[in-house]
Structure formats: C-alpha cells, structure tokens
C-alpha cells in the first residue's frame, strides 16, 4: 500500500513542484503533510517549537549532523535547516502521507534509509518552457536563473538513471499534470510519463 510511503517529489527548479504540492495540500489538507524540520534560526512570534520547526541551538544541530540524523540539510544565510527521519515517520503516525520536496542529493540519502519512499520526478516538457517559467515567476535575476538551469541538467541526468524514479510526470498542461499527481499521491498505480529529450 504505497499511500503510507513518503512521497518524494523532485525535479528542476521552476518546473512546478511547489505549484502541484500547494494545490494538493489545499485540496486535501487532512491527507498530506510536510515533515517538521530542525532549524537553528530563532522562532518568530507565534511559532511553536515542534510545530513549524524543531528549534535547536547550533551546537545541537551540529551534534545531530555528526550523528547522521538528517537525511538532508542546508544552510541559508547563517541558519541551518535539516530534515530528520523521525520527523518523516511522525507525519505517517499522524495519519497523513508525508510529502518531501528535495533535490537529488537528498534523494540519494532517503534511499539509504528504511523510509522506502515513492520517488516522483516532475519533468519540464522542454528546456525552453523551464526557462520561461523561471523568468515568468519573477523571483530570480538572470544570473540566478542560469545557475538554476545548470543545476537542472544534473537533476535531469540523475532522474534518467535506472531505478531513480518510480514515476515521471511531464508538467505540460497543469490540470493534466495535477490529475496524475493526485492519483500518485493517493497511491493509485498510474502509467508513468517518459522524460522528454530536453536537448533544446
Ligand atoms: N503546468 C504549468 N503551466 C504553466 N506554468 C506553470 C505550470 N506549473 C507551474 N507553473 C508556473 O511556473 C513557475 C514555477 O513553478 P514553481 O514555483 O511551482 O516551481 P518549483 O519546481 O517549485 O521551483 P523551486 O524548486 O525553485 O521552488 C510558477 O510561476 C508557476 O506558476
């Protein structure tokens, strides 16, 4: 029964992962959830430890990191963020399916745990569409877009390796992609798309 397995969604920046996940969470708030990350940043007013984040000191974070507690971690400005295996299990224990939006580095690590994730690659129909979505989103300057596109090529290459993906969805038409995404999220066995050439 794949509904209980964490759903790992990955794909190049700007392909539409966040859009699909936000729509799924909006439509089914009681069925899906993100895991609660650890962070060294200070709580903002209204934030509760264990709810938005597990707030920890830098020393504690580094000790957890040394103990291989995180399946992925990142640093943004001076703050560390990490996703722990127990935090992912906790989502399932609350009766929801855990959805993870992580990069290929994180996936390699998740695959080494006993989390047994379902891996879903969201592919652009072509690279020109990806470029246009990144520009259209308006959150990055040209240099940042170039960096995201360079990283995209590595993510796509990883996705093409045998045994990386359980499913592929080409995010061409959003409603079509979302219909497949919903089925996979609910554990239905759908026919996977094929990653296009992406050589433009
Ligand atoms: N099928 C689609 N057709 C047209 N535009 C889309 C489609 N899917 C997403 N978009 C648009 O593309 C842009 C990028 O989408 P989004 O931010 O969800 O990407 P992402 O994969 O989550 O990126 P990141 O990894 O950088 O967070 C957004 O402006 C979004 O509205």
């Amino acid at each position: 029964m794949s509904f209980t397995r964490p759903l790992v969604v990955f794909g190049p920046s700007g392909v539409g992962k966040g859009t699909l996940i936000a729509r799924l969470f909006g439509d089914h708030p009681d069925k899906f959830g993100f895991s609660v990350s650890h962070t060294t940043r200070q709580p903002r007013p209204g934030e509760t430890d264990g709810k938005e984040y597990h707030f920890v000191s830098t020393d504690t974070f580094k000790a957890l990191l040394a103990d291989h507690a995180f399946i992925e971690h990142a640093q943004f400005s001076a703050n560390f963020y990490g996703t722990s295996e127990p935090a992912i299990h906790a989502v399932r224990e609350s009766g929801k399916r855990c959805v993870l939006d992580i990069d290929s580095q994180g996936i390699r690590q998740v695959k080494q745990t006993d989390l047994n994730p379902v891996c879903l690659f969201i592919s652009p129909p072509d690279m020109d569409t990806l470029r246009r979505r990144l520009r259209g989103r308006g959150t990055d300057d040209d240099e940042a877009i170039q960096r995201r596109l360079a990283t995209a090529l590595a993510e796509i290459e990883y996705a093409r390796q045998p045994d990386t993906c359980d499913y592929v969805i080409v995010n061409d038409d959003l409603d079509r992609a979302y219909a497949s995404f919903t089925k996979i999220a609910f554990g239905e066995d759908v026919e996977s798309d094929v990653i296009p050439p992406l050589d433009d």
Side-chain angles (χ1 to χ4, degrees):
M1 170 56 184
S2 61
F3 184 78
T4 56
R5 295 164 63 190
L7 178 65
V8 168
V9 181
F10 78 115
S13 176
V15 75
K17 303 177 296 293
T19 304
L20 290 165
I21 294 170
R23 191 160 160 188
L24 183 77
F25 280 28
D27 286 351
H28 309 282
D30 54 337
K31 292 278 190 291
F32 301 96
F34 286 128
S35 59
V36 178
S37 298
H38 285 67
T39 185
T40 59
R41 85 151 164 73
Q42 291 299 309
R44 299 192 180 118
E47 286 183 337
T48 314
D49 184 38
K51 192 165 172 237
E52 287 81 10
Y53 286 100
H54 299 290
F55 294 100
V56 292
S57 68
T58 303
D59 283 350
T60 301
F61 192 96
K62 286 185 173 164
L64 287 166
L65 193 58
D67 217 20
H68 307 286
F70 299 120
I71 55 148
E72 69 155 14
H73 70 279
Q75 187 177 3
F76 296 108
S77 57
N79 300 312
F80 293 98
Y81 297 81
T83 305
S84 74
E85 210 176 317
I88 296 170
H89 285 302
V91 179
R92 182 165 68 188
E93 279 147 26
S94 78
K96 294 181 182 178
R97 185 174 198 184
C98 184
V99 178
L100 292 153
D101 177 351
I102 56 181
D103 66 10
S104 57
Q105 202 52 46
I107 293 180
R108 286 184 176 93
Q109 296 202 41
V110 181
K111 281 180 182 276
Q112 285 170 20
T113 67
D114 63 0
L115 285 164
N116 191 22
V118 172
C119 293
L120 165 61
F121 181 69
I122 310 294
S123 176
D126 50 66
M127 293 306 281
D128 195 44
T129 303
L130 187 63
R131 273 181 223 111
R132 275 190 282 107
R133 283 192 194 152
L134 282 168
R135 285 199 202 102
R137 189 166 66 176
T139 52
D140 298 292
D141 60 23
D142 279 354
E143 209 181 297
I145 289 176
Q146 285 313 319
R147 273 201 307 276
R148 288 188 189 277
L149 287 168
T151 309
L153 295 177
E155 295 283 299
I156 292 162
E157 201 178 303
Y158 176 65
R160 284 195 200 281
Q161 290 175 23
D163 301 330
T164 297
C165 311
D166 297 289
Y167 296 102
V168 172
I169 294 176
V170 176
N171 184 16
D172 38 23
D173 175 74
L174 186 58
D175 289 336
R176 188 204 76 89
Y178 181 67
S180 293
F181 185 63
T182 309
K183 284 187 186 158
I184 292 167
F186 275 98
E188 285 179 45
D189 201 15
V190 305
E191 202 176 319
S192 183
D193 290 341
V194 174
I195 304 176
L198 304 175
D199 53 3
D200 58 317

